[in-house]
Amino acid sequence: MKLFGTDGVRGKAGDFLDAITTIKLAMAAGIYFRKHSTTNKILVGKDTRRSGYMIENALVSGLTAVGYDVIQIGPMPTPAIAYLTESMRCDAGIMISASHNPYDDNGIKFFDNHGNKLSSNCEKEIEKIFFDEEYLNSQQKTGKEIGSSKRIDDVIGRYIVSIKSSFPKDLTLHGLRIVLDCANGAAYKVGPTILEELGAEVITINNKPNGFNINDDCGALHPKNVGKYVLETRADIGIALDGDADRLVVIDEKGEVVPGDKLIGALCTYLSNQELLETNACVATVMSNQALEDYLKDHKIELKRSDVGDKYVLECMKDSCINFGGEQSGHIIFSYVAKTGDGLASALQVLAMILKSKKKASEALNPFELYPQVLKNLVVSEKKPLDELEGLKELQEEIKSMGIRDLIRYSGTEKKLRILLEGKDKKLVDEYMEKLVSFFKDRL
């Protein structure tokens, strides 16, 4: 059994991720973090899912059982946990969230004492401890060695100050009308506050979480809804976050969703012009459109590609000393601003770029045309090894011979097969997508 996926431990709350599993996971993580402990404190935050109560209490139980003191800060964005873990000198940080997934899923993400996501090797060590029942039991504390927990409600201000300080001091959002979709998630308080304190007129939607409406027909997964509000209110721009606010989708003043690759391209050349782009390179994933790579090449900027997942984008950035990267899905990372993808911090950088360009969003964020790209997600009952599917290799070779780029992989967090095809001939791309979908439906 494998616990960790591409972004922590994630699954159906109360089923795969139940109270007992969570207690054991917390104990295993606590035992692992104690090896490098300096403060004996671990920070725990969450998004707005109802199941967060169960998982939070189970985490506290497991961590205190192995002697850790726990600081609970309630609903806060994932990037806030990364920032506050380091700021508050904790040994580790834990975020309870399934990000963009529906409310009945939940997840647990871990950060080290510097606010960085754990490497795959660290996750393997925690898994090894998790499955060693005898060792787990031997590490439980008694008497005065049992840990404690306390809830702190005033840390929101620290995060707000941190994000606001990333916005250029010579600019103001005064005069800008912004539609902000909080996805009924973790940023429902901090999001509007940050934008309003910087001077914007903010029209906030989906900021009334009830435990079950997170990501429900709202937020970064449904940005067209924001587009309607932008048009109705004559706003200058729309910003859609996901449930834990580490993802950003931008909507221009025409109500059109800005593709993630165009956003990365526009930001990258902006940073280069401002002499803020280290090593004159950026990182995107294998999912990103080839047109982005060609556009950056024309501007003498190198594009490095990583595996899918913001964790892998960050790893590639660190390995190559690059300070900017992202995923087309909306994880945009400015490593000199935030430890991980931060929807609000990224939104402020987008707004700064637009203000300095003195253009409307539709102009500033439309630097090139994308090549036709089609993405399909197929629900599967079993994740059979792709290299064992007879005929797939031959079909992929045929696709490649037609000048079409393909990427076929299983989701790391859901029982889905993700198929991406890209090429300059849209009709040909669609035809081969139909062939692939039919091929996999017969075999998975």
Coordinates of all heavy atoms in Angstrom, one line a residue, residues 82 133 250 261 288 301:
A82 N 3.1 27.1 4.8 CA 4.5 27.0 4.4 C 5.3 28.2 5.0 O 6.4 28.1 5.6 CB 4.7 27.0 2.9
E133 N 4.4 -1.3 12.8 CA 3.5 -1.2 14.0 C 4.3 -1.3 15.3 O 4.0 -0.5 16.2 CB 2.5 -2.3 13.9 CG 1.5 -2.2 12.8 CD 0.3 -1.3 13.0 OE1 0.2 -0.8 14.2 OE2 -0.4 -1.0 12.1
V250 N -6.8 33.5 -13.9 CA -7.1 34.9 -14.2 C -8.1 35.0 -15.3 O -8.0 34.3 -16.3 CB -5.8 35.7 -14.5 CG1 -6.1 37.1 -14.9 CG2 -4.8 35.6 -13.4
D261 N -0.6 28.8 -19.6 CA 0.6 28.9 -20.3 C 0.9 30.4 -20.8 O 2.0 30.8 -20.9 CB 0.7 27.9 -21.5 CG 1.0 26.5 -21.1 OD1 1.6 26.3 -20.0 OD2 0.5 25.6 -21.7
S288 N 2.8 21.7 -20.4 CA 2.7 23.0 -21.0 C 2.8 23.0 -22.5 O 3.5 22.1 -23.1 CB 3.8 23.9 -20.5 OG 3.4 24.5 -19.3
I301 N 14.8 33.1 -23.6 CA 14.6 32.6 -22.3 C 14.5 31.0 -22.4 O 13.7 30.5 -23.3 CB 13.3 33.1 -21.7 CG1 13.5 34.7 -21.5 CG2 13.0 32.5 -20.3 CD1 12.2 35.3 -21.1

